[in-house]
């Protein structure tokens, strides 16, 4: 078979390691019976990738293989899918858990791509395998006659009800979210429609510009900054070891969010968190997001409105702080996965035997982020999803294991109740968004009852 290869990556990740894994991939491909076409270089921009596609499209290609070397948004994948009717496959590389930065974050790229392709009803095949360890049977999954993402998840509408669920529904109907800035290009996982959202659960959304946040942040007084600094000084270590001017800017963002919340009576935020927080304002919003979460005002990154609403629902159900997180790795061999999101988990979720510390963003190199492993315990995961252009509630559960930090920032190792292989296949085949809300305790029953109240199908991962 003639296979056209398009390797996607971003320069903000570990390019030396990415090239090493791509070379292993190409070495494996060279040993197959297939004819390989393309430059087989990591393409670091949309324009490079689309030019490569046009070159391949002019040749006699029978199958398009997108190698998800590092994280990327889904813009290129969607454009290629729209312009080509060829069979399409994605190969993403697992992440080494070395307690350092995410070197690739390729699973998250696969996650964004799967959601976006499912929105466009575009069939595709996929594998999540280490090119150094892969064998032929795993690789041949790419050429299955019937790709797996054919909305086979069969969500069910639970016929459950309770006084508690009715009460929670009434509270959700009154909630208000503030969206600050736009979702990044290619983050179709973060799209929303106000009319559909209001009809679904009554939540209203106000939209502000990033400059509204920045202007208010500049008005935060030095005394307010010092007050936030002193509060954190009693909770985290190494606060004085990060760039102090950038730290003050980050703490001003916390004060700004608090002011906006008080004036607008907002219950949650959905915030464009990069790149302008770093390139235009000069500080990270991750630490402020953590603090707001512990104050029961959850914040969703990347202007993910449905992520914010998912947090609100799970918070109302659990009466606890909620963490909106990425799933960045799933390892079938040891039956675990990893939740991670920069350094923004609520401090209340820290392993009690670990002193949380101040740190910087791994890609953007500015504070304030927190660093700690998630505490061990039973958890519930939920997402109000729009996969396949249909509303549903996605629910899963499991246990955070007592483990050392798998990655920098805030992260934790999970053992899913239904097993990692089942969860991995369900995430990609169902087109689930890349953000899920997480809290402690088992809340599956009450969430199912609430879904009945909202007339929402439920997909149990």
């Amino acid at each position: 078979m003639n296979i056209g290869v398009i390797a996607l990556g971003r320069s903000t990740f570990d390019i030396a390691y990415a090239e090493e894994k791509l070379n292993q991939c190409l070495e494996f491909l060279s040993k197959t019976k297939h004819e390989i076409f393309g430059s087989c270089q990591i393409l670091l921009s949309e324009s490079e990738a689309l030019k490569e596609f046009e070159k391949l499209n002019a040749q006699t290609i029978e199958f398009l293989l997108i190698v998800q070397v590092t994280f990327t948004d889904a813009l290129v994948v969607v454009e290629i899918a729209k312009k080509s009717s060829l069979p399409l496959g994605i190969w993403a590389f697992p992440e080494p858990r070395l307690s350092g930065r995410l070197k690739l974050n390729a699973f998250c790229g696969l996650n964004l791509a799967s959601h976006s392709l499912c929105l466009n009803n575009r069939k595709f095949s996929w594998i999540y395998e280490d090119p150094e360890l892969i064998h032929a049977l795993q690789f041949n999954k790419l050429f299955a006659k019937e790709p797996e993402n054919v909305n086979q998840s069969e969500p069910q509408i639970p016929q459950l009800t309770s006084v508690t669920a009715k009460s929670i529904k009434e509270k959700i109907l009154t909630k208000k979210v503030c969206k600050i800035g736009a979702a990044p290009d290619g983050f179709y996982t973060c799209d929303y429609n106000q009319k559909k959202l209001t009809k679904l659960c009554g939540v209203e959304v106000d939209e502000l510009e990033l400059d509204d946040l920045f202007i208010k942040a500049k008005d935060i007084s030095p005394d307010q900054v010092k007050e936030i600094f002193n509060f954190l000084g009693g909770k985290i270590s190494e606060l004085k070891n990060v760039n102090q001017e950038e730290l003050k800017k980050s703490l001003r963002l916390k004060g700004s969010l608090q002011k906006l919340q008080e004036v607008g009576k907002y219950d949650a935020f959905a915030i464009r968190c990069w790149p302008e927080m770093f390139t235009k304002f000069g500080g990270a919003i991750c630490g402020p997001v953590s603090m707001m979460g512990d104050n029961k005002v959850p914040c969703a990154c990347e202007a993910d409105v449905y992520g914010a609403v998912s947090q609100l629902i799970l918070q109302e159900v659990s009466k606890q702080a909620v963490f909106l997180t990425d799933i960045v790795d799933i390892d079938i061999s040891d039956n675990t996965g990893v939740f991670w999101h920069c350094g923004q988990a609520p401090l209340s979720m820290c392993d009690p035997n670990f002193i949380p510390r101040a740190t910087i963003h791994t890609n953007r190199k500015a504070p304030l982020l927190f660093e700690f492993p998630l505490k061990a315990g039973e958890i519930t995961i939920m997402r109000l999803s729009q996969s396949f252009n249909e509303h549903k509630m996605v629910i899963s559960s499991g246990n955070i294991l007592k483990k050392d930090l798998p990655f920098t920032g805030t992260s934790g190792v999970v053992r899913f109740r239904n097993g990692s292989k089942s969860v991995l296949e369900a995430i990609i085949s169902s087109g689930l968004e890349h953000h899920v809300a997480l809290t402690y305790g088992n809340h599956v029953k009450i969430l199912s009852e609430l879904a009945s109240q909202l007339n929402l199908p439920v997909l149990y991962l």
Side-chain angles (χ1 to χ4, degrees):
M1 183 182 294
N2 292 347
I3 299 177
V5 173
I6 299 177
L8 302 181
R10 289 292 179 269
S11 60
T12 46
F13 293 92
D14 188 336
I15 292 301
Y17 181 75
E19 288 177 340
E20 177 186 333
K21 301 313 288 186
L22 178 59
N23 287 335
Q24 291 170 1
C25 169
L26 296 173
E27 184 178 351
F28 173 85
L29 290 175
S30 70
K31 295 175 182 177
T32 69
K33 297 178 181 179
H34 304 290
E35 189 76 22
I36 305 303
F37 292 79
S39 69
C40 296
Q41 302 292 315
I42 299 178
L43 305 170
L44 298 176
S45 69
E46 288 90 355
S47 59
E48 286 180 327
L50 292 174
K51 284 179 183 176
E52 181 79 350
F53 166 70
E54 294 299 336
K55 291 178 183 177
L56 289 172
N57 208 30
Q59 301 184 61
T60 310
I61 303 299
E62 299 170 88
F63 188 93
L64 272 174
L65 175 60
I66 292 176
V67 183
Q68 191 77 55
V69 188
T70 76
F71 171 82
T72 64
D73 62 66
L75 193 150
V76 167
V77 176
V78 169
E79 285 300 305
I80 289 173
K82 288 179 177 178
K83 293 178 178 179
S84 174
S85 59
L86 286 172
L88 178 66
I90 303 175
W91 182 353
F93 303 152
E95 190 75 31
R97 302 179 192 176
L98 302 174
S99 299
R101 63 168 297 184
L102 281 164
K103 289 176 174 290
L104 304 175
N105 200 18
F107 182 81
C108 201
L110 170 62
N111 201 164
L112 261 76
S114 68
H115 176 78
S116 304
L117 291 171
C118 290
L119 288 179
N120 287 277
N121 293 308
R122 179 63 152 91
K123 294 181 181 180
F124 68 100
S125 58
W126 61 277
I127 53 174
Y128 184 60
E129 302 288 350
D130 188 325
E132 195 173 20
L133 304 174
I134 193 170
H135 55 72
L137 285 177
Q138 293 168 316
F139 178 71
N140 287 337
K141 274 184 60 181
L142 288 169
F143 311 111
K145 290 184 179 179
E146 187 62 47
E148 295 175 359
N149 66 312
V150 193
N151 205 3
Q152 298 168 340
S153 50
E154 296 181 0
Q156 50 190 289
I157 299 181
Q159 300 302 311
L160 302 168
T161 188
S162 71
V163 173
T164 303
K166 289 180 180 178
S167 173
I168 291 171
K169 177 187 175 182
E170 293 303 315
K171 290 178 181 177
I172 297 300
L173 290 171
T174 67
K175 300 297 183 183
K176 187 162 68 165
V177 172
C178 179
K179 175 177 172 285
I180 304 176
D185 291 342
F187 278 65
Y188 306 105
T189 50
C190 300
D191 289 348
Y192 89 106
N193 178 287
Q194 176 65 81
K195 288 183 179 179
K196 289 181 179 179
L197 181 62
T198 302
K199 183 178 179 181
L200 173 67
C201 60
V203 173
E204 294 184 6
V205 181
D206 284 353
E207 294 192 357
L208 300 179
E209 298 297 326
L210 270 174
D211 281 346
D212 296 322
L213 179 69
F214 295 160
I215 289 168
K216 285 196 176 297
K218 289 175 182 177
D219 290 338
I220 300 300
S221 70
D223 286 344
Q224 288 173 286
V225 172
K226 186 176 181 180
E227 182 181 341
I228 301 169
F229 181 95
N230 290 338
F231 168 79
L232 286 175
K235 292 180 176 292
I236 66 173
S237 67
E238 303 187 32
L239 197 58
K240 294 182 180 179
N241 293 337
V242 298
N243 183 297
Q244 295 298 291
E245 289 305 310
E246 292 173 341
L247 173 62
K248 288 176 185 177
K249 290 180 179 180
S250 183
L251 299 184
R252 286 179 182 277
L253 291 171
K254 163 62 168 61
S256 181
L257 283 175
Q258 199 168 322
K259 285 286 185 184
L260 284 172
Q261 189 272 327
E262 291 169 357
V263 172
K265 307 297 181 186
Y266 297 119
D267 300 288
F269 289 92
I271 309 164
R272 182 182 175 94
C273 52
W274 60 269
E276 290 87 359
M277 291 292 172
F278 305 96
T279 59
K280 188 173 182 179
F281 190 76
I285 203 163
C286 306
V289 162
S290 170
M291 289 184 274
M292 295 296 287
D294 266 328
N295 290 334
K296 300 295 178 64
V297 184
C299 302
C301 282
E302 290 146 0
D304 181 3
V305 170
Y306 272 69
V309 176
S310 299
Q311 288 175 284
L312 279 175
I313 291 172
L314 193 55
Q315 178 178 277
E316 197 62 50
V317 164
S318 68
K319 307 302 180 187
Q320 297 180 88
V322 177
F323 175 28
L324 193 74
T325 179
D326 293 350
I327 301 170
V328 295
D329 186 44
I330 295 182
D331 188 339
I332 293 173
S333 67
D334 74 351
N335 197 31
T336 65
V338 178
F339 294 117
W340 169 91
H341 218 179
C342 300
Q344 56 162 284
L347 283 167
S348 57
M349 292 187 176
C350 179
D351 181 333
N353 296 319
F354 189 95
I355 298 174
R357 54 188 176 234
T359 189
I360 60 174
H361 195 279
T362 51
N363 288 347
R364 306 288 174 169
K365 308 303 180 186
L368 173 68
L369 283 72
F370 299 143
E371 185 162 79
F372 58 81
L374 300 182
K375 64 185 178 183
E378 189 173 21
I379 57 162
T380 301
I381 307 124
M382 191 276 282
R383 171 77 193 196
L384 188 60
S385 177
Q386 302 180 86
S387 66
F388 284 97
N389 298 293
E390 299 169 353
H391 279 139
K392 60 182 72 67
M393 185 182 288
V394 180
I395 304 173
S396 187
S397 60
N399 284 275
I400 298 293
L401 307 179
K402 186 168 181 56
K403 296 276 190 180
D404 293 337
L405 266 173
F407 304 113
T408 54
T410 49
S411 57
V413 178
V414 61
R415 178 154 288 139
F416 294 102
R417 190 171 305 281
N418 289 343
S420 62
K421 184 175 188 295
S422 172
V423 171
L424 169 62
E425 292 173 352
I427 287 171
I428 305 304
S429 65
S430 69
L432 179 65
E433 290 86 344
H434 74 299
H435 289 154
V436 293
L438 176 158
T439 197
Y440 283 84
N442 188 330
H443 309 288
V444 174
K445 184 174 183 294
I446 188 65
L447 283 170
S448 300
E449 292 171 347
L450 178 60
S452 287
Q453 290 291 315
L454 296 170
N455 198 34
L456 263 178
V458 175
L459 171 60
Y460 298 97
L461 295 186

